[in-house]
Amino acid sequence: MHEYSLVEALISRVEAEAKKRQAVRVHTLSVRVGELAGVDPELFQTAYDTFRAGTLCAETTLVVKRIPASWSCPRCRAAIPRGEVLRCAACDVPARLDDGADALTLDGIDMEVP
Amino acid sequence: MCTTCGCGDTELVPVELHEKILAGNDRAARHNREHFLEAGVLAINLMGSPGAGKTAVLEATARAGAGKKWRLGAVSADLATDNDAVRLEKAGIPSRAITTGQACHLDAELVHRSLHDIPWQQTDVFFIENVGNLVCPAIYDLGQAANVVVLSVTEGEDKPLKYPTMFLAADLVLVSKCDLIPHLDFDLAKLDDALARVNPKPNVIRLSARTGEGVDQWIGWLEKRRLEKGLVGRIAGLAAHVHAPAGGRDQKR
């Protein structure tokens, strides 16, 4: 259940940003979860709902966007279908993971500032 | 503040960050990585299921590395007990246990604190034996030069398909307990195929810590990583700054 430590890191980062901008409320957090980021989006949401009590994010909506994993050839750009061997048969080179599929990213915060 | 009429009302502003949530861990990992490279130490993050044979692989490495006069070191993480660190010490690898309590993985800060308690600068290869787990350790950069995943033949050939994030992160998969294959229905070709579907640059060494099969190949792989990182011929122990013993809360032995 590393989702709890991830939520802890998320809330610390949000609190630091809110303090820097003297925010009075934080309305929404936007997070992207790549399919290969090693994070279960539902567990992440559950961990957030548990952990946010008593923090600046207690009333803050978390919006999670899932990024599916996709692979392509770095040379000819052909898509490598899911579940296939991760190598371009035409170019004989290893496939490349498309952007965002292995990342857990805090995209943005909507906050109320004076 | 409202700039339209100067009424003093608050304003809702979108703050764009596009920042990794583990950015703090990644900063600590970069710091560890700089330490290891400056000191001429090859750091390996050794991962795998509980019971995959991580500690046995290191015991076999100590036996084989003795011939090369390598100086080895390790930290070994478990939720409780220092059993693995005791085994490694007996095998001749100076080691410390990191007891993580309820934490299912190591992070870069835990590794950094553990380094205060062991003369890691005087090693050629330093192993970070992670908590036995095929999920959580995969996403935490510790500052290692390479990730090695130990997968025992008793676990089944489809483990890479079940745990793709871990096997995508693997620079090398060590297939352990290969001496048991004659007694099992384990098919190495099926494992190779599964790995090739989750990792575009699969790399596998078949090994038995008990019989010594594959250990030379594993030692050769480590030697190649040392050459690639420019660590061969470096004088170990010349770290840019010294870590004083700190008696961190998580270290034992």
Side-chain angles (χ1 to χ4, degrees), chain B residues 23-40:
Chain B
N25 179 77
D26 292 351
R27 274 192 296 277
R30 276 198 298 277
H31 182 72
N32 291 349
R33 188 167 285 114
E34 285 165 11
H35 272 319
F36 287 129
L37 288 176
E38 285 164 1

PDB file of all heavy atoms in Angstrom, chain B residues 23-40:
ATOM      1  N   ALA B  23       8.796  13.686  -6.813  1.00  0.00           N
ATOM      2  CA  ALA B  23       9.944  14.562  -7.109  1.00  0.00           C
ATOM      3  C   ALA B  23      10.892  14.654  -5.913  1.00  0.00           C
ATOM      4  O   ALA B  23      12.118  14.707  -6.081  1.00  0.00           O
ATOM      5  CB  ALA B  23       9.456  15.946  -7.525  1.00  0.00           C
ATOM      6  N   GLY B  24      10.338  14.671  -4.697  1.00  0.00           N
ATOM      7  CA  GLY B  24      11.184  14.762  -3.494  1.00  0.00           C
ATOM      8  C   GLY B  24      12.066  13.528  -3.357  1.00  0.00           C
ATOM      9  O   GLY B  24      13.263  13.626  -3.067  1.00  0.00           O
ATOM     10  N   ASN B  25      11.484  12.355  -3.572  1.00  0.00           N
ATOM     11  CA  ASN B  25      12.267  11.114  -3.524  1.00  0.00           C
ATOM     12  C   ASN B  25      13.336  11.114  -4.623  1.00  0.00           C
ATOM     13  O   ASN B  25      14.471  10.690  -4.407  1.00  0.00           O
ATOM     14  CB  ASN B  25      11.357   9.900  -3.694  1.00  0.00           C
ATOM     15  CG  ASN B  25      12.138   8.604  -3.664  1.00  0.00           C
ATOM     16  OD1 ASN B  25      12.542   8.133  -2.607  1.00  0.00           O
ATOM     17  ND2 ASN B  25      12.416   8.043  -4.835  1.00  0.00           N
ATOM     18  N   ASP B  26      12.954  11.599  -5.792  1.00  0.00           N
ATOM     19  CA  ASP B  26      13.898  11.606  -6.919  1.00  0.00           C
ATOM     20  C   ASP B  26      15.092  12.523  -6.638  1.00  0.00           C
ATOM     21  O   ASP B  26      16.217  12.217  -7.045  1.00  0.00           O
ATOM     22  CB  ASP B  26      13.186  12.025  -8.212  1.00  0.00           C
ATOM     23  CG  ASP B  26      12.183  10.976  -8.677  1.00  0.00           C
ATOM     24  OD1 ASP B  26      12.165   9.868  -8.092  1.00  0.00           O
ATOM     25  OD2 ASP B  26      11.406  11.257  -9.603  1.00  0.00           O
ATOM     26  N   ARG B  27      14.838  13.624  -5.931  1.00  0.00           N
ATOM     27  CA  ARG B  27      15.957  14.519  -5.559  1.00  0.00           C
ATOM     28  C   ARG B  27      16.912  13.789  -4.614  1.00  0.00           C
ATOM     29  O   ARG B  27      18.135  13.837  -4.774  1.00  0.00           O
ATOM     30  CB  ARG B  27      15.427  15.795  -4.881  1.00  0.00           C
ATOM     31  CG  ARG B  27      15.050  16.889  -5.847  1.00  0.00           C
ATOM     32  CD  ARG B  27      14.824  18.213  -5.112  1.00  0.00           C
ATOM     33  NE  ARG B  27      13.698  18.150  -4.187  1.00  0.00           N
ATOM     34  CZ  ARG B  27      12.431  18.320  -4.556  1.00  0.00           C
ATOM     35  NH1 ARG B  27      12.136  18.587  -5.814  1.00  0.00           N
ATOM     36  NH2 ARG B  27      11.469  18.249  -3.663  1.00  0.00           N
ATOM     37  N   ALA B  28      16.347  13.097  -3.630  1.00  0.00           N
ATOM     38  CA  ALA B  28      17.185  12.345  -2.673  1.00  0.00           C
ATOM     39  C   ALA B  28      17.941  11.225  -3.395  1.00  0.00           C
ATOM     40  O   ALA B  28      19.110  10.942  -3.084  1.00  0.00           O
ATOM     41  CB  ALA B  28      16.311  11.770  -1.553  1.00  0.00           C
ATOM     42  N   ALA B  29      17.298  10.613  -4.380  1.00  0.00           N
ATOM     43  CA  ALA B  29      17.947   9.536  -5.135  1.00  0.00           C
ATOM     44  C   ALA B  29      19.119  10.078  -5.956  1.00  0.00           C
ATOM     45  O   ALA B  29      20.173   9.443  -6.041  1.00  0.00           O
ATOM     46  CB  ALA B  29      16.932   8.858  -6.055  1.00  0.00           C
ATOM     47  N   ARG B  30      18.932  11.256  -6.534  1.00  0.00           N
ATOM     48  CA  ARG B  30      20.044  11.865  -7.299  1.00  0.00           C
ATOM     49  C   ARG B  30      21.233  12.112  -6.382  1.00  0.00           C
ATOM     50  O   ARG B  30      22.388  11.910  -6.760  1.00  0.00           O
ATOM     51  CB  ARG B  30      19.585  13.187  -7.935  1.00  0.00           C
ATOM     52  CG  ARG B  30      18.860  13.023  -9.257  1.00  0.00           C
ATOM     53  CD  ARG B  30      18.811  14.321 -10.048  1.00  0.00           C
ATOM     54  NE  ARG B  30      18.087  15.371  -9.348  1.00  0.00           N
ATOM     55  CZ  ARG B  30      16.766  15.503  -9.367  1.00  0.00           C
ATOM     56  NH1 ARG B  30      16.019  14.666 -10.053  1.00  0.00           N
ATOM     57  NH2 ARG B  30      16.178  16.486  -8.715  1.00  0.00           N
ATOM     58  N   HIS B  31      20.948  12.546  -5.177  1.00  0.00           N
ATOM     59  CA  HIS B  31      22.006  12.792  -4.187  1.00  0.00           C
ATOM     60  C   HIS B  31      22.746  11.490  -3.881  1.00  0.00           C
ATOM     61  O   HIS B  31      23.980  11.446  -3.892  1.00  0.00           O
ATOM     62  CB  HIS B  31      21.360  13.366  -2.924  1.00  0.00           C
ATOM     63  CG  HIS B  31      22.320  13.723  -1.841  1.00  0.00           C
ATOM     64  ND1 HIS B  31      23.163  14.805  -1.922  1.00  0.00           N
ATOM     65  CD2 HIS B  31      22.576  13.129  -0.654  1.00  0.00           C
ATOM     66  CE1 HIS B  31      23.904  14.866  -0.818  1.00  0.00           C
ATOM     67  NE2 HIS B  31      23.563  13.854  -0.035  1.00  0.00           N
ATOM     68  N   ASN B  32      22.007  10.417  -3.642  1.00  0.00           N
ATOM     69  CA  ASN B  32      22.646   9.106  -3.398  1.00  0.00           C
ATOM     70  C   ASN B  32      23.492   8.690  -4.592  1.00  0.00           C
ATOM     71  O   ASN B  32      24.613   8.196  -4.439  1.00  0.00           O
ATOM     72  CB  ASN B  32      21.583   8.024  -3.159  1.00  0.00           C
ATOM     73  CG  ASN B  32      20.840   8.194  -1.848  1.00  0.00           C
ATOM     74  OD1 ASN B  32      21.241   8.993  -1.007  1.00  0.00           O
ATOM     75  ND2 ASN B  32      19.757   7.450  -1.676  1.00  0.00           N
ATOM     76  N   ARG B  33      22.942   8.876  -5.791  1.00  0.00           N
ATOM     77  CA  ARG B  33      23.637   8.445  -7.015  1.00  0.00           C
ATOM     78  C   ARG B  33      24.964   9.181  -7.169  1.00  0.00           C
ATOM     79  O   ARG B  33      25.985   8.593  -7.521  1.00  0.00           O
ATOM     80  CB  ARG B  33      22.717   8.680  -8.224  1.00  0.00           C
ATOM     81  CG  ARG B  33      23.247   8.108  -9.528  1.00  0.00           C
ATOM     82  CD  ARG B  33      22.184   8.089 -10.610  1.00  0.00           C
ATOM     83  NE  ARG B  33      21.208   7.028 -10.398  1.00  0.00           N
ATOM     84  CZ  ARG B  33      19.927   7.227 -10.115  1.00  0.00           C
ATOM     85  NH1 ARG B  33      19.432   8.450 -10.028  1.00  0.00           N
ATOM     86  NH2 ARG B  33      19.118   6.207  -9.914  1.00  0.00           N
ATOM     87  N   GLU B  34      24.941  10.489  -6.891  1.00  0.00           N
ATOM     88  CA  GLU B  34      26.186  11.277  -6.961  1.00  0.00           C
ATOM     89  C   GLU B  34      27.211  10.731  -5.978  1.00  0.00           C
ATOM     90  O   GLU B  34      28.390  10.586  -6.301  1.00  0.00           O
ATOM     91  CB  GLU B  34      25.896  12.750  -6.644  1.00  0.00           C
ATOM     92  CG  GLU B  34      25.215  13.483  -7.789  1.00  0.00           C
ATOM     93  CD  GLU B  34      24.611  14.811  -7.347  1.00  0.00           C
ATOM     94  OE1 GLU B  34      24.898  15.266  -6.218  1.00  0.00           O
ATOM     95  OE2 GLU B  34      23.824  15.371  -8.134  1.00  0.00           O
ATOM     96  N   HIS B  35      26.758  10.420  -4.760  1.00  0.00           N
ATOM     97  CA  HIS B  35      27.659   9.845  -3.744  1.00  0.00           C
ATOM     98  C   HIS B  35      28.313   8.569  -4.257  1.00  0.00           C
ATOM     99  O   HIS B  35      29.521   8.392  -4.166  1.00  0.00           O
ATOM    100  CB  HIS B  35      26.883   9.466  -2.487  1.00  0.00           C
ATOM    101  CG  HIS B  35      26.759  10.582  -1.493  1.00  0.00           C
ATOM    102  ND1 HIS B  35      27.772  11.436  -1.201  1.00  0.00           N
ATOM    103  CD2 HIS B  35      25.720  10.951  -0.711  1.00  0.00           C
ATOM    104  CE1 HIS B  35      27.369  12.292  -0.290  1.00  0.00           C
ATOM    105  NE2 HIS B  35      26.120  12.018   0.020  1.00  0.00           N
ATOM    106  N   PHE B  36      27.488   7.665  -4.788  1.00  0.00           N
ATOM    107  CA  PHE B  36      28.010   6.363  -5.229  1.00  0.00           C
ATOM    108  C   PHE B  36      29.020   6.549  -6.360  1.00  0.00           C
ATOM    109  O   PHE B  36      30.096   5.946  -6.346  1.00  0.00           O
ATOM    110  CB  PHE B  36      26.858   5.454  -5.688  1.00  0.00           C
ATOM    111  CG  PHE B  36      26.008   4.909  -4.563  1.00  0.00           C
ATOM    112  CD1 PHE B  36      24.626   5.014  -4.584  1.00  0.00           C
ATOM    113  CD2 PHE B  36      26.598   4.248  -3.481  1.00  0.00           C
ATOM    114  CE1 PHE B  36      23.847   4.506  -3.547  1.00  0.00           C
ATOM    115  CE2 PHE B  36      25.821   3.736  -2.443  1.00  0.00           C
ATOM    116  CZ  PHE B  36      24.444   3.874  -2.481  1.00  0.00           C
ATOM    117  N   LEU B  37      28.675   7.381  -7.325  1.00  0.00           N
ATOM    118  CA  LEU B  37      29.578   7.555  -8.471  1.00  0.00           C
ATOM    119  C   LEU B  37      30.875   8.235  -8.055  1.00  0.00           C
ATOM    120  O   LEU B  37      31.963   7.845  -8.483  1.00  0.00           O
ATOM    121  CB  LEU B  37      28.878   8.350  -9.578  1.00  0.00           C
ATOM    122  CG  LEU B  37      27.774   7.587 -10.322  1.00  0.00           C
ATOM    123  CD1 LEU B  37      27.068   8.482 -11.323  1.00  0.00           C
ATOM    124  CD2 LEU B  37      28.333   6.346 -11.038  1.00  0.00           C
ATOM    125  N   GLU B  38      30.782   9.253  -7.211  1.00  0.00           N
ATOM    126  CA  GLU B  38      31.986   9.957  -6.749  1.00  0.00           C
ATOM    127  C   GLU B  38      32.918   9.007  -6.006  1.00  0.00           C
ATOM    128  O   GLU B  38      34.139   9.120  -6.089  1.00  0.00           O
ATOM    129  CB  GLU B  38      31.600  11.101  -5.802  1.00  0.00           C
ATOM    130  CG  GLU B  38      31.025  12.308  -6.508  1.00  0.00           C
ATOM    131  CD  GLU B  38      30.307  13.247  -5.541  1.00  0.00           C
ATOM    132  OE1 GLU B  38      30.282  12.965  -4.314  1.00  0.00           O
ATOM    133  OE2 GLU B  38      29.758  14.248  -6.017  1.00  0.00           O
ATOM    134  N   ALA B  39      32.329   8.063  -5.283  1.00  0.00           N
ATOM    135  CA  ALA B  39      33.142   7.128  -4.489  1.00  0.00           C
ATOM    136  C   ALA B  39      33.567   5.901  -5.291  1.00  0.00           C
ATOM    137  O   ALA B  39      34.264   5.029  -4.768  1.00  0.00           O
ATOM    138  CB  ALA B  39      32.361   6.702  -3.243  1.00  0.00           C
ATOM    139  N   GLY B  40      33.151   5.821  -6.550  1.00  0.00           N
ATOM    140  CA  GLY B  40      33.539   4.677  -7.380  1.00  0.00           C
ATOM    141  C   GLY B  40      32.835   3.387  -7.004  1.00  0.00           C
ATOM    142  O   GLY B  40      33.387   2.302  -7.169  1.00  0.00           O
TER     143      GLY B  40
END
